[in-house]
Amino acid sequence: MNKIIPLNPFNNVVASGIAICDLNNLLGSTLEAINLTLSGTTFSKSMITLIQLKANGKVIWESDGSKLDASELFKGNPADANRLCIDFMERNARTINAFQSGAIDLSPQSGIVSLRMEVTTSGATSPALTGLAELSPAVAVPGEEAIRFLIQRRHRVSYTVPAANSKVALPIPHIDPSGGGSVYKRIYIYSSSMNAVQIVRNGLVEFDSSTLDMNQIQRRAKRAPQSNLFVFDAMLDNVQSGRVWDTRPASGVTQAMFLATFSSTETITIETEEIIPLSMY
């Protein structure tokens, strides 16, 4: 990051509605992070019910205020009641390429010709929303050519657990190899009753743990587990190469399942952090 510039003003920042920010002024750079500041009479993160970043009209990143906040706290980022950060970087990665592999290349070669953010609010009072973009030059560095086309996708889905004490295969976005699969850095499960997870690839169990055991392992790795959030963190040691969870047929994967056990029925939200080229959207 060598530039920090204000975002264009948001349009339609209202008590309940969709605020829109045109980000086309960022084209030509590499987008590393977006920082949002909430102000006004009454405007909290829980009143942001959806955030979407759209490139060429396609949703490439989505979450909401509370869930984004929880996931950033899990990574060890500081709490701030009035600020949210959408960070496309791996700040603690052990290699330069892993550090910046999720940043969004907005150079002419990227194929991105339009970029905008939509923030849905509900129940606020006289809200105000501003932001800053962290940028670096979109330069052709030979050592970065292998990762320039990769961006961090975050997609979400809701799912209702059918029964208490049930073990179910979760509908992780893009997990199915027959649909092309994906490459996952993290999978976030926002749940109050999930107590165990088992992950299977090509018939082999690769991950089998209770929530309590996983939380302790993650604390040892300097993560900060949050209540009502389970994180499958493939980059727990901050290494990307050989660690990300790949379900693509091109990598020889024919089957992938994410099985979870719940103590009660509930509706959960699943959000992913994936590292893929724009062409896969």
Side-chain angles (χ1 to χ4, degrees), residues 11-22:
N11 295 315
N12 195 48
V13 183
V14 295
S16 298
I18 301 176
I20 297 173
C21 183
D22 183 337

Side-chain angles (χ1 to χ4, degrees), residues 1-175:
M1 177 265 294
N2 73 343
K3 291 193 293 184
I4 298 178
I5 66 170
L7 299 183
N8 285 330
F10 280 85
N11 295 315
N12 195 48
V13 183
V14 295
S16 298
I18 301 176
I20 297 173
C21 183
D22 183 337
L23 301 177
N24 286 339
N25 62 313
L26 307 182
L27 297 179
S29 299
T30 297
L31 178 59
E32 298 183 353
I34 295 174
N35 299 276
L36 300 176
T37 298
L38 288 61
S39 59
T41 304
T42 306
F43 190 24
S44 66
K45 296 174 184 179
S46 63
M47 295 172 182
I48 295 180
T49 58
L50 184 63
I51 307 170
Q52 290 187 325
L53 186 65
K54 296 182 178 180
N56 298 346
K58 298 179 180 179
V59 176
I60 62 173
W61 191 100
E62 59 184 345
S63 185
D64 62 48
S66 297
K67 293 178 180 61
L68 170 59
D69 193 44
S71 64
E72 288 300 305
L73 290 173
F74 166 81
K75 295 178 185 178
N77 291 323
D80 190 316
N82 300 313
R83 288 176 172 81
L84 283 168
C85 179
I86 301 172
D87 198 346
F88 303 106
M89 307 285 279
E90 286 292 333
R91 303 291 174 177
N92 297 315
R94 300 191 186 188
T95 67
I96 293 297
N97 279 356
F99 173 75
Q100 58 191 5
S101 62
I104 301 177
D105 177 17
L106 299 174
S107 68
Q109 293 74 28
S110 71
I112 297 177
V113 297
S114 69
L115 188 71
R116 81 179 208 171
M117 173 176 286
E118 298 179 1
V119 179
T120 303
T121 58
S122 179
T125 303
S126 301
L129 184 61
T130 58
L132 297 170
E134 297 180 24
L135 306 168
S136 60
V139 296
V141 178
E144 299 176 5
E145 289 179 356
I147 57 102
R148 278 180 61 83
F149 64 97
L150 297 174
I151 62 177
Q152 181 174 290
R153 173 167 72 182
R154 183 164 177 152
H155 277 177
R156 63 182 349 211
V157 66
S158 295
Y159 173 75
T160 300
V161 178
N165 301 311
S166 60
K167 183 176 184 178
V168 295
L170 297 182
I172 307 298
H174 317 295
I175 191 175

